[in-house]
């Protein structure tokens, strides 16, 4: 194990012992916010320190077995014990490195899912509808809830644009790599000659902020317009200005919401989406700075970046970031996304491990 990693683990072990003392004190529960914060930290550190303690015990077992090598009668017992111990050390070190990787603080959050039709006219809108159905089915499998925030249907039943809130633990961790350009190759329903067309749609996945107040939104930076909702909704919707359009002047981000009958409810929903978009913009700007130093294997998440192709005639789905092709397009379109999301998460972890190795290699020994 690299000395820098061992030093980090020793530091975590001392911190856990400190937390044990703080949580066991009589004053621990006087400040419940502090108590919950310390308890969360303890819960995060305990499995890492437990694994590290097992690593150190294995080192001691190997050292004891090596002392037995000097005895000719004990050598036959000591050699396999040393071999097994070294293999176990390698496994424990790999697990420890994974546990030391930085956690994404947004992983457990709900998300806002935005899907927009791109090039391809009505076929693109139908594909956007298919993607929304795919993610909705995936959410059902995970027992998450999908709540449409705003939608702009197309004439043939697809979506020019749809924004939904996906509510469920770990939604962001599972779907955060879905942002980008999705391409479909198939014979459209409107095609009479049987020719294969290529169309596209863009997907954006943004973590929901716990409170709108988490994002600095200066009221002076907001232009809020009300207007009459269009489309379905009945006489009430058409007679009252319940729809809301909010423009964030510094960034030019515009959010509209007209699905709820209440102007207050539409404003609340629009503010939530606006906060998520601004936070997402800040995260992507930070990621771009990081990517300038180190290229991410799973892509930048740029909305214009083509990340996946759905080829219906060949029955395949190809994710271009990890060079993975699966010949089960119907199952995937029906929400069977675990193999895709798992491959992307594994690639991301491999990238993080490589970065950790570079970082520790660059650090001087303590």
């Amino acid at each position: 194990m690299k000395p820098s990693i061992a030093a980090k683990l020793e530091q975590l072990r001392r911190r856990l012992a400190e937390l044990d003392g703080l949580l066991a004190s009589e004053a621990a529960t006087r400040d419940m916010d502090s108590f919950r914060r310390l308890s969360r930290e303890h819960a995060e550190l305990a499995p890492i320190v437990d694994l590290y303690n097992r690593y150190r015990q294995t080192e001691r077992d190997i050292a004891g077995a090596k002392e037995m090598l000097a005895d000719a009668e004990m050598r036959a017992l000591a050699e396999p014990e040393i071999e097994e111990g070294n293999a176990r050390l390698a496994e424990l070190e790999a697990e420890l490195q994974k546990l030391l990787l930085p956690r994404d603080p947004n992983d457990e959050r709900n998300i806002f899912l935005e899907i927009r039709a791109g090039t391809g006219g009505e076929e693109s809108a139908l594909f956007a509808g298919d993607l929304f159905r795919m993610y909705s089915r995936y959410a059902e499998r995970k027992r998450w809830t999908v709540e449409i925030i705003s939608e702009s249907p197309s004439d043939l039943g697809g979506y020019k644009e749809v924004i939904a809130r996906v509510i469920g633990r770990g939604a962001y961790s599972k779907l955060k790599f879905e942002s980008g350009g999705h391409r479909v190759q198939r014979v459209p329903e409107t095609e009479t000659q049987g020719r294969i067309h290529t169309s596209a749609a863009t997907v954006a996945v943004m973590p929901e902020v716990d409170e709108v107040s988490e994002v600095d939104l200066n009221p002076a930076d907001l232009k809020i317009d009300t207007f009459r909702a269009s489309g379905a909704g009945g006489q009430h919707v058409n007679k009252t200005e319940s729809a809301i359009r909010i423009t964030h002047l510094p960034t030019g981000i515009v959010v509209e919401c007209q699905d709820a009958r209440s102007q207050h409810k539409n404003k609340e929903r629009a503010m939530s989406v606006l906060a998520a978009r601004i936070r997402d913009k800040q995260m992507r700007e930070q990621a771009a700075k990081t990517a300038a130093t180190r290229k991410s294997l799973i892509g930048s998440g740029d909305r214009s970046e083509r990340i996946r192709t759905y080829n219906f005639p060949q029955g395949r789905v190809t994710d271009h970031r990890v060079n993975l092709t699966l010949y089960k397009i119907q199952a995937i379109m029906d929400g069977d996304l675990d193999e895709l999301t798992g491959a992307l998460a594994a690639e991301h972890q491999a990238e993080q491990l490589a970065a950790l190795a570079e970082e520790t290699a660059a650090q001087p020994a303590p």
Side-chain angles (χ1 to χ4, degrees):
M1 179 181 291
K2 289 185 172 63
S4 54
I5 292 180
K8 173 70 173 176
L9 290 165
E10 285 292 348
Q11 179 186 347
L12 295 180
R13 185 160 67 171
R14 289 194 295 271
R15 176 56 178 167
L16 185 66
E18 183 184 351
L19 289 170
D20 284 335
L22 290 171
L23 291 170
S25 71
E26 292 183 5
T29 55
R30 287 179 187 168
D31 183 344
M32 288 307 297
D33 285 339
S34 174
F35 180 75
R36 281 191 288 269
R37 187 172 63 253
L38 293 174
S39 296
R40 279 197 301 269
E41 186 181 357
H42 188 281
E44 289 175 3
L45 292 185
I48 301 175
V49 173
D50 176 62
L51 201 61
Y52 181 54
N53 288 337
R54 285 162 54 194
Y55 181 91
R56 297 307 300 267
Q57 182 59 52
T58 303
E59 282 187 323
R60 289 190 288 270
D61 292 343
I62 292 172
K66 285 181 176 178
E67 291 177 3
M68 295 163 56
L69 290 174
D71 187 332
E73 294 182 0
M74 301 297 292
R75 180 182 293 271
L77 292 174
E79 287 178 343
E81 188 174 328
I82 293 170
E83 187 177 342
E84 289 173 13
N86 285 329
R88 192 158 60 247
L89 269 188
E91 291 174 4
L92 290 170
E93 183 174 357
E95 288 183 52
L96 281 167
Q97 285 190 354
K98 289 179 183 178
L99 289 178
L100 285 175
L101 294 178
R103 295 183 59 192
D104 188 331
N106 294 313
D107 271 352
E108 297 304 310
R109 292 181 187 260
N110 302 329
I111 63 168
F112 285 110
L113 172 69
E114 299 187 359
I115 304 174
R116 291 182 177 83
T119 55
E122 275 294 342
E123 168 61 9
S124 174
L126 288 172
F127 178 50
D130 291 339
L131 288 175
F132 180 64
R133 177 181 176 275
M134 178 183 78
Y135 291 123
S136 297
R137 289 292 180 89
Y138 181 68
E140 286 176 18
R141 292 166 182 254
K142 299 296 181 184
R143 301 185 183 279
W144 299 337
T145 302
V146 178
E147 174 187 289
I148 291 181
I149 299 296
S150 176
E151 58 182 330
S152 177
S154 70
D155 293 337
L156 296 182
Y159 286 110
K160 297 173 186 174
E161 175 185 278
V162 58
I163 302 173
R165 180 175 176 235
V166 180
I167 307 159
R169 180 166 183 162
Y172 186 70
S173 69
K174 294 293 186 182
L175 293 176
K176 62 184 175 182
F177 300 127
E178 293 300 300
S179 291
H182 294 241
R183 184 177 70 169
V184 64
Q185 294 171 327
R186 65 183 176 188
V187 179
E189 293 179 18
T190 54
E191 170 60 53
T192 57
Q193 304 296 320
R195 292 171 298 187
I196 296 172
H197 287 228
T198 298
S199 303
T202 57
V203 173
V205 175
M206 301 170 294
E208 179 184 36
V209 296
D210 289 336
E211 298 288 342
V212 171
S213 58
E214 284 187 23
V215 176
D216 185 16
L217 288 176
N218 186 338
D221 292 337
L222 303 179
K223 181 174 181 286
I224 302 177
D225 299 307
T226 59
F227 58 98
R228 292 186 183 181
S230 60
Q235 292 182 347
H236 170 82
V237 172
N238 292 325
K239 287 185 177 179
T240 62
E241 294 196 344
S242 60
I244 291 286
R245 181 188 298 111
I246 302 178
T247 304
H248 186 242
L249 299 175
T251 61
I253 295 173
V254 180
V255 177
E256 289 185 6
C257 192
Q258 57 177 304
D259 280 33
R261 287 173 173 258
S262 158
Q263 184 184 105
H264 175 76
K265 187 68 176 176
N266 278 327
K267 182 178 179 182
E268 182 183 310
R269 287 179 169 183
M271 287 292 285
S272 294
V273 175
L274 178 63
R277 283 190 186 172
I278 291 173
R279 172 65 63 81
D280 177 63
K281 184 176 186 292
Q282 293 168 346
M283 287 168 55
R284 285 190 285 119
E285 287 173 351
Q286 182 59 45
K289 291 178 183 176
T290 304
T293 306
R294 182 177 188 86
K295 172 66 177 170
S296 173
L297 290 177
I298 52 104
S300 64
D302 188 332
R303 306 291 181 258
S304 62
E305 180 184 8
R306 189 191 72 192
I307 63 169
R308 193 176 297 150
T309 296
Y310 305 74
N311 187 303
F312 278 80
Q314 296 178 17
R316 66 171 171 85
V317 174
T318 298
D319 195 290
H320 305 290
R321 297 163 295 178
V322 288
N323 198 25
L324 174 66
T325 296
L326 300 174
Y327 287 89
K328 54 175 193 177
I329 194 166
Q330 292 304 329
I332 288 170
M333 298 309 294
D334 201 37
D336 184 7
L337 298 179
D338 281 332
E339 196 169 351
L340 281 168
T341 59
L344 291 162
E347 193 77 6
H348 180 57
Q349 188 178 78
E351 170 71 3
Q352 286 183 304
L353 286 169
L356 179 64
E358 283 187 7
E359 180 185 326
T360 54
Q363 292 176 356

